[in-house]
């Protein structure tokens, strides 16, 4: 099922039926172990939208986040490790990316809270003191406070690559600023975990023309999600 958020309204799409309820606390709704089963049982208390045309899938939805923090995991793909090593301008700095790729402990860094995050159709920002900025399409895990993976969404981890490339210690400046992250449009809560053949795809279009398109399987991620 898919959960969409707009102000205090929650829309749930499940088995081609659209459910809606107002006045819900997002944190209380989603922060639960076995979220899929809880939501399935509670759908009886939601209103059913009889006309699907009343539900604009391409709406400017709120990011599916309120009190949650967004953390990112770096150097998760082999291609990512090689690219970061090549971009690092500090000779010794390149070794850090190789070390963290093979280390037992993953690289985890703080990215954003809700006030620095934009939702679907929102405008992400870039730093004016950065000369090279890249969107990074990310599979985003929704993790409960008990540490269980309960859902997924799409993320955009905007990065000031020219700043990070100067020195790995500049990572917070390259990653954390106003409008530095985007997630959504919804929270996908499946009954079972995603399989390795699922692909992440990114398309960049300018003036209606596609200038870049590529995809990668989540099976290429080095570490398991858990």
């Amino acid at each position: 099922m898919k959960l969409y958020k707009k102000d205090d309204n929650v829309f749930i799409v499940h088995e081609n039926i659209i459910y809606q309820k107002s006045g819900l606390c997002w944190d209380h709704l989603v922060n639960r172990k076995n979220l899929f089963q809880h939501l399935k049982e509670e759908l009886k208390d939601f209103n059913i939208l009889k006309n699907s045309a009343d539900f604009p899938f391409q709406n400017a939805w709120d990011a599916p986040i309120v009190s949650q923090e967004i953390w990112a995991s770096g150097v998760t793909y082999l291609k990512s490790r090689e690219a970061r090593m090549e971009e690092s301008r500090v000779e010794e700095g390149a070794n850090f990316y190789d070390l963290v790729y093979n280390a037992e402990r993953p690289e985890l860094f703080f990215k954003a809270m809700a006030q620095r995050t934009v939702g679907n159709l929102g405008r992400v920002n870039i730093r004016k003191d950065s000369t090279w900025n890249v969107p990074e399409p990310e599979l985003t895990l929704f993790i409960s406070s008990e540490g269980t993976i309960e859902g997924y969404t799409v993320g955009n981890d905007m990065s000031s690559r020219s700043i990070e490339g100067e020195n790995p210690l500049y990572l917070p400046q390259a990653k954390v600023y106003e409008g530095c992250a985007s997630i959504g449009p919804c929270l996908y809560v499946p009954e079972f975990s995603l399989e390795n053949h699922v692909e992440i795809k990114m398309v960049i279009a300018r003036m209606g023309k596609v200038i870049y398109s590529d995809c990668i399987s989540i099976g290429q991620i080095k570490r398991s999600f858990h």
Side-chain angles (χ1 to χ4, degrees):
M1 63 181 68
K2 299 178 180 179
L3 280 67
Y4 294 81
K5 178 182 179 298
K6 189 65 176 179
D7 300 322
D8 68 340
N9 293 288
V10 174
F11 297 84
I12 297 180
V13 180
H14 180 56
E15 295 182 346
N16 297 320
I17 300 176
I18 301 170
Y19 302 83
Q20 182 269 336
K21 193 173 184 179
S22 302
L24 293 175
C25 173
W26 181 260
D27 289 346
H28 292 163
L29 178 69
V30 300
N31 185 24
R32 292 182 288 181
K33 191 174 181 180
N34 300 319
L35 180 58
F36 178 88
Q37 296 300 331
H38 283 294
L39 293 174
K40 187 176 180 180
E41 294 171 2
E42 295 169 7
L43 285 178
K44 62 182 184 298
D45 299 323
F46 279 66
N47 300 315
I48 296 178
L49 295 186
K50 299 185 181 302
N51 186 359
S52 60
D54 294 334
F55 182 75
F57 283 96
Q58 298 302 318
N59 198 1
W61 297 103
D62 295 343
I65 179 175
V66 176
S67 299
Q68 295 76 32
E69 299 176 346
I70 299 177
W71 285 71
S73 179
V75 198
T76 49
Y77 296 89
L78 177 60
K79 294 172 68 173
S80 175
R81 182 197 69 168
E82 294 173 344
R84 298 299 86 73
M85 291 176 66
E86 182 178 345
E87 295 160 9
S88 181
R89 298 176 184 174
V90 181
E91 183 177 355
E92 297 83 0
N95 295 329
F96 287 114
Y97 298 103
D98 187 44
L99 290 172
V100 77
Y101 181 79
N102 293 298
E104 180 179 354
R105 178 186 290 271
E107 179 197 9
L108 299 175
F109 58 89
F110 175 77
K111 178 63 182 179
M113 296 288 285
Q115 63 267 30
R116 295 186 184 272
T117 306
V118 299
N120 190 47
L121 302 183
R123 182 186 294 272
V124 293
N125 294 329
I126 60 176
R127 289 181 58 122
K128 64 175 63 177
D129 58 345
S130 176
T131 57
W132 182 19
N133 307 278
V134 295
E136 296 188 27
E138 308 282 4
L139 172 65
T140 306
L141 311 179
F142 176 72
I143 304 173
S144 73
S145 58
E146 295 189 46
T148 56
I149 299 172
E150 298 297 335
Y152 311 86
T153 189
V154 177
N156 181 2
D157 170 23
M158 286 300 303
S159 298
S160 302
R161 186 73 76 221
S162 59
I163 296 177
E164 181 185 358
E166 292 180 17
N167 192 306
L169 295 179
Y170 294 157
L171 185 66
Q173 299 170 63
K175 292 287 190 177
V176 184
Y177 52 86
E178 187 68 26
C180 65
S182 175
I183 59 173
C186 65
L187 186 63
Y188 174 54
V189 182
E191 186 173 5
F192 305 103
S193 301
L194 294 185
E195 298 181 356
N196 285 342
H197 61 76
V198 171
E199 290 185 336
I200 300 172
K201 182 177 182 180
M202 179 175 73
V203 176
I204 300 177
R206 292 178 180 163
M207 304 297 290
K209 181 180 179 181
V210 174
I211 63 170
Y212 180 85
S213 177
D214 205 352
C215 63
I216 190 169
S217 166
I218 65 173
Q220 296 296 313
I221 298 176
K222 176 179 173 61
R223 306 173 189 275
S224 72
F225 297 152
H226 292 285

